[in-house]
Amino acid sequence: MKFFYTNLTLDRKNRVSYVKGIKMKISNDVWNSVAGIKYSGLKVGKGNTNGIEEFKKIQYYRNCVRNPTQSVNRFHAGNLNLTPRLIVYIIAWQLIPRGTNHIVLHDEDLILLYCIMNLIKVNWVYIIMEHMLKSKRLDDYRFRYAILV
């Protein structure tokens, strides 16, 4: 599994990896046929809020917390109401998992939470593929499950 992500590269629109001399190509069609996820929707993420210009990080966080009058010095999942907190944990543990610090919200977590709570269609294939490339560079970003292609 580690070899798959270590050798992962971007080839045009596809992700390609070589494991034991075997070329594995993950295209948008593979996501659709294997997982039923289509390559459509907003390509949002850290630093990219195109399509959701009304998103304001601090204001939205205050709307989700149990005590909106409390000062915000860091974004913490434990301060959120029940529904947003559960969604954030699903994002941080399953959708775009990271190895540590699941309780501290990253910008991506808040953007995805905003999109999910407001029923904005997100391009999950794009988000997962970007996360796959991050997992190659950053030890904190990893996948705990194998992708069978």
Side-chain angles (χ1 to χ4, degrees):
M1 178 85 153
K2 187 174 182 177
F3 294 118
F4 176 83
Y5 290 107
T6 303
N7 297 326
L8 189 66
T9 59
L10 179 63
D11 178 24
R12 294 185 191 109
K13 292 182 180 180
N14 305 315
R15 303 303 188 262
V16 178
S17 184
Y18 292 89
V19 177
K20 295 185 179 182
I22 298 172
K23 179 180 179 179
M24 294 182 227
K25 180 174 114 177
I26 301 176
S27 66
N28 297 339
D29 296 332
V30 169
W31 286 105
N32 190 19
S33 64
V34 172
I37 304 172
K38 294 186 179 180
Y39 191 85
S40 63
L42 293 177
K43 297 177 184 177
V44 294
K46 184 178 180 180
N48 181 16
T49 56
N50 293 335
I52 55 168
E53 284 78 16
E54 67 278 4
F55 173 76
K56 305 288 184 245
K57 182 170 69 171
I58 294 175
Q59 182 182 2
Y60 184 68
Y61 180 76
R62 284 182 193 256
N63 289 339
C64 293
V65 296
R66 288 178 275 178
N67 184 4
T69 59
Q70 182 179 344
S71 65
V72 176
N73 53 2
R74 68 178 192 199
F75 301 102
H76 201 270
N79 297 332
L80 298 175
N81 290 319
L82 181 62
T83 303
R85 188 174 353 139
L86 291 174
I87 292 171
V88 163
Y89 286 142
I90 291 169
I91 291 169
W93 283 90
Q94 297 297 321
L95 298 175
I96 51 172
R98 52 185 178 259
T100 60
N101 222 355
H102 296 92
I103 198 124
V104 174
L105 300 175
H106 294 195
D107 288 353
E108 289 174 305
D109 301 335
L110 279 171
I111 292 168
L112 290 173
L113 175 65
Y114 177 83
C115 290
I116 291 169
M117 295 290 285
N118 290 289
L119 302 175
I120 297 171
K121 189 174 182 180
V122 175
N123 190 330
W124 288 106
V125 172
Y126 171 81
I127 290 169
I128 293 169
M129 296 274 238
E130 288 298 309
H131 188 75
M132 290 171 73
L133 287 176
K134 284 181 191 174
S135 69
K136 177 181 175 180
R137 295 188 329 265
L138 307 169
D139 288 337
D140 193 30
Y141 284 76
R142 41 184 102 121
F143 281 101
R144 291 179 168 74
Y145 46 87
I147 296 176
L148 304 173
V149 182

